[in-house]
Amino acid sequence: MRSIIEKIYEAEQPSRENIDDNENYKESLAEFIKLVDGFKTSLTENQKVIFEKLENLRDELEYETGLSRYIAAFKLGLKVGLEVSED
């Protein structure tokens, strides 16, 4: 039997790739995409370039935020595990 660390490494444990988003998220995402697509049609070419850069920056910020929170939660989980193992 493989260790939990091996399973996490191979993305067999909960990860972005294998966690289903809830219905509220899916609905909000669909609405967001619809609004963005409608908004983009009203922009000039130069504005579209700027807006695309803004979207990319937003994506990078979301990634960095998610990563830092994941790392913090992972460390907390390890600390909890260590504390429980001391009992």
Side-chain angles (χ1 to χ4, degrees), residues 4 6-7 10 12-14 22 24 30 34 36 41 43 50 53 60 71 75 78 82-83 86:
I4 189 67
E6 290 174 317
K7 290 180 180 182
E10 294 172 2
E12 291 179 19
Q13 293 302 303
N22 65 38
N24 188 37
K34 179 182 167 186
V36 167
T41 61
L43 300 176
I50 294 169
K53 288 179 183 179
E60 289 176 30
I71 290 170
K75 288 178 180 180
L78 288 175
L82 287 171
E83 186 174 313
E86 292 173 355

Side-chain angles (χ1 to χ4, degrees), residues 1-62:
M1 185 169 160
R2 292 189 327 240
S3 74
I4 189 67
I5 295 171
E6 290 174 317
K7 290 180 180 182
I8 290 170
Y9 177 76
E10 294 172 2
E12 291 179 19
Q13 293 302 303
S15 70
R16 267 189 354 220
E17 290 79 23
N18 61 17
I19 295 175
D20 290 332
D21 296 317
N22 65 38
E23 287 305 312
N24 188 37
Y25 177 87
K26 290 177 184 177
E27 290 171 10
S28 295
L29 179 61
E31 180 68 16
F32 178 81
I33 291 170
K34 179 182 167 186
L35 290 171
V36 167
D37 289 345
F39 180 72
K40 281 183 179 179
T41 61
S42 68
L43 300 176
T44 66
E45 289 306 312
N46 187 48
Q47 289 171 328
K48 287 178 184 179
V49 169
I50 294 169
F51 188 74
E52 185 174 324
K53 288 179 183 179
L54 289 169
E55 286 183 301
N56 290 338
L57 284 170
R58 184 208 58 226
D59 291 345
E60 289 176 30
L61 289 168
E62 283 185 20

